Amino acid sequence: MSPHNTTTTPGRSGTDTSGASPGGRHLGLALFVIAAAQLMVILDATITNIALPAIQTDLGVTDGNLAWIVNSYALAFGGLMLLGGKAGDLFGRRRIFQAGIAVFTLASLLGGLAPNEGLLIGARILQGIGAALAAPNALALITTTFPPGKSRNTAMGVYAAMGGVGATVGLLLGGVLTDVLDWRWVFFINIPIGLAVLAGTRTLVEAERHPGRLDVPGAITGTGGLIALVYGITRGGEHGWTGALTLASFTAAVVLLAAFLLIQARTADPMMPLRLFKDRNRSGSYATMLFVGSGMFAMFYFLTLYMQLILGYSAVRTGFAFLPFSVGMAAAAGISSKLITHLAPRLIAGPGLLVAAGGMFWFATLEADSSYAGHLMPAMFVTALGLGMSFVPMTLGAVSGVGHQDTGMASALLNTAQQTGGALGLAVLSTISTSAANDQLPEAASAYFRGLATKDFPLVAKAGEALTHGYTMAFVASGAMFLGGLAVMLLAVNAGRQHHAESAAPLHMG
């Protein structure tokens, strides 16, 4: 899955299996194909967030199931990303990349046509599978298509930029499409992009294949265990923690995840080589990212609901309201990438996580009538600065000292930790939020929508206050997760300053 485990020589990068000359025009088209694919996969993690209130109203989605529209994608994407990279090694990266884009495009069509929440969640799982096949192989295809030097460096830079701007583009595009057309267009928009990417994949140069086999049992037990765990958390919050189905879900999660670890320890070609966890800095980076993903996914989710339901923002306005987050992330990531050669990673990421936690606790003071300029915007910017400071040191910590054959696997594991942490965190925090809101007003979300439908504005106001209380409790828990990540980093990560930046796949900011 790594760009480094290809045995393709630079000379072979100069030929296309379709016979096309890799001149500037073809390299330009190849770069467009990879960048468009990466952007599509990354923006889909956030584009749906903006449409959630519209989806909830149109399809009658319950509060508990609303989180699954986000989580189903994250679980499939994060849980199967390592398998997607391995499949590229075995069967050809271009072929698996094409299969991933095809699956993603078909799933987007199904999502846009979904008549109910069950089929929509199913389509989101299918999108996640497509993304897990495409994303790890897109990075590897850069090294086989672009000759070493300026053109490859440019391609890597564009690829990394797509990872960074994807979340912002998703929020803005999701807002415009939902307001101007309909929430279904947040899915339909992927169809022309996906077809254009598929048409352009002939410009990409295939890599040599590698011997080995797919760890299908590992993929099934690992992803199944995570889904069971998230379902147990979500159901426990809705129906009680001692219910038969809740307990059965947790039992299945324990059995499946234990089986997953056993398979990884004993199989010759594991999906997740346990040797990668032997280095304390690397393990510390993965564990920290698990906590960071938990808090960050929840921030997007609850802020979107707060701005649209409580403050009455349109979808477009909500998308633009997130711009300070993107600006803060970009600025802090730029600063931290320069500091990393002068300071130890934990001296950059540690204060960053502390600042991010401060931003979340600032969000926790929101009220039903808080202002954007005086409250939301500064808290968002502060949180983004803190997170931006932590991402570069964690990425370098994940790949520092890794053998060439494991570099792609190590960086993909960091992305997997972020997606998995996000899904688990959102399940926990939505449970906390719903319970806190319902303590103030039973079935607060249902009461809110009932009040809107019957124009019972006192009920809308009362339900709005209860929902806001629920969101603020989630923000408190989110800040605590950032502090948990900080504690792990301080205890586990002891690497010195980085004398040179090592290559790593950029993180998916979604």
Side-chain angles (χ1 to χ4, degrees):
M1 110 176 345
S2 163
H4 304 287
N5 31 348
T6 65
T7 52
T8 311
T9 63
R12 279 191 59 195
S13 294
T15 58
D16 189 331
T17 52
S18 67
S21 162
R25 186 172 65 83
H26 287 287
L27 286 181
L29 183 56
L31 180 56
F32 170 79
V33 166
I34 288 174
Q38 172 73 353
L39 182 64
M40 184 171 68
V41 164
I42 300 310
L43 70 79
D44 237 70
T46 54
I47 194 170
T48 319
N49 264 305
I50 295 294
L52 284 175
I55 293 171
Q56 186 171 28
T57 304
D58 193 25
L59 298 184
V61 184
T62 64
D63 242 23
N65 284 348
L66 195 65
W68 276 104
I69 294 170
V70 177
N71 263 349
S72 50
Y73 180 77
L75 280 168
F77 188 10
L80 297 173
M81 197 185 301
L82 297 173
L83 191 75
K86 184 70 173 176
D89 282 350
L90 299 178
F91 306 119
R93 286 169 180 153
R94 185 170 68 171
R95 181 181 294 175
I96 297 300
F97 177 76
Q98 289 169 327
I101 296 298
V103 169
F104 190 92
T105 306
L106 174 63
S108 298
L109 174 64
L110 296 175
L113 297 173
N116 56 51
E117 64 185 69
L119 289 175
L120 179 58
I121 290 168
R124 289 288 282 166
I125 291 171
L126 201 57
Q127 274 190 318
I129 293 170
L133 293 173
N137 291 297
L139 180 64
L141 283 166
I142 288 176
T143 61
T144 57
T145 303
F146 295 86
K150 187 181 177 185
S151 66
R152 185 180 296 180
N153 293 342
T154 301
M156 285 286 192
V158 171
Y159 177 90
M162 291 303 105
V165 304
T168 311
V169 173
L171 293 165
L172 296 177
L173 193 59
V176 171
L177 291 171
T178 303
D179 264 7
V180 176
L181 296 168
D182 181 65
W183 67 262
R184 295 181 183 276
W185 280 91
V186 304
F187 296 102
F188 289 148
I189 189 69
N190 291 323
I191 297 167
I193 301 173
L195 292 175
V197 168
L198 278 175
T201 52
R202 64 186 184 83
T203 62
L204 303 175
V205 178
E206 184 61 279
E208 283 188 8
R209 300 178 197 179
H210 297 264
R213 65 181 182 84
L214 279 181
D215 180 16
V216 176
I220 292 170
T221 52
T223 309
L226 288 172
I227 291 172
L229 181 58
V230 170
Y231 181 77
I233 293 167
T234 307
R235 185 168 179 87
E238 279 189 37
H239 303 284
W241 299 98
T242 55
L245 199 50
T246 303
L247 295 175
S249 297
F250 284 128
T251 304
V254 170
V255 171
L256 286 169
L257 291 174
F260 171 73
L261 290 174
L262 201 63
I263 290 166
Q264 298 313 287
R266 294 190 173 183
T267 188
D269 288 302
M271 187 173 92
M272 186 182 78
L274 297 182
R275 65 178 178 274
L276 288 173
F277 295 92
K278 287 180 179 176
D279 182 272
R280 63 179 288 174
N281 288 298
R282 205 172 308 128
S283 296
S285 294
Y286 293 147
T288 304
M289 181 51 76
L290 202 68
F291 280 101
V292 171
S294 300
M296 193 173 77
F297 271 54
M299 185 205 68
F300 281 117
Y301 181 82
F302 292 111
L303 276 183
T304 297
L305 294 179
Y306 172 78
M307 285 191 271
Q308 289 193 43
L309 298 183
I310 310 303
L311 297 185
Y313 284 15
S314 66
V316 170
R317 189 178 177 188
T318 305
F320 277 99
F322 275 109
L323 277 176
F325 184 83
S326 305
V327 172
M329 282 280 278
I335 293 166
S336 65
S337 62
K338 290 180 173 62
L339 289 176
I340 199 73
T341 56
H342 303 290
L343 296 170
R346 65 177 177 176
L347 295 181
I348 303 167
L353 289 175
L354 198 59
V355 169
M360 296 312 298
F361 293 136
W362 196 347
F363 280 131
T365 63
L366 284 171
E367 293 175 357
D369 57 353
S370 292
S371 74
Y372 178 75
H375 201 151
L376 274 173
M377 186 173 71
M380 201 180 293
F381 189 71
V382 166
T383 306
L385 280 177
L387 289 174
M389 291 298 287
S390 61
F391 276 124
V392 173
M394 279 189 289
T395 306
L396 290 174
V399 298
S400 181
V402 178
H404 260 357
Q405 76 279 8
D406 285 332
T407 310
M409 190 77 76
S411 51
L413 263 175
L414 195 66
N415 279 317
T416 298
Q418 186 191 17
Q419 296 289 328
T420 303
L424 290 170
L426 188 49
V428 171
L429 296 178
S430 60
T431 298
I432 290 171
S433 176
T434 303
S435 299
N438 291 347
D439 282 346
Q440 286 215 344
L441 180 70
E443 300 295 327
S446 301
Y448 176 85
F449 288 111
R450 191 170 65 250
L452 283 179
T454 59
K455 292 186 166 47
D456 183 350
F457 296 114
L459 178 60
V460 171
K462 190 176 181 184
E465 286 179 4
L467 288 173
T468 302
H469 173 67
Y471 302 152
T472 58
M473 289 301 99
F475 291 134
V476 169
S478 191
M481 286 176 174
F482 288 156
L483 292 179
L486 171 62
V488 170
M489 172 158 277
L490 292 176
L491 290 170
V493 178
N494 62 358
R497 64 192 175 93
Q498 307 290 305
H499 296 288
H500 56 89
E502 293 162 68
S503 83
L507 282 161
H508 299 157
M509 308 298 180

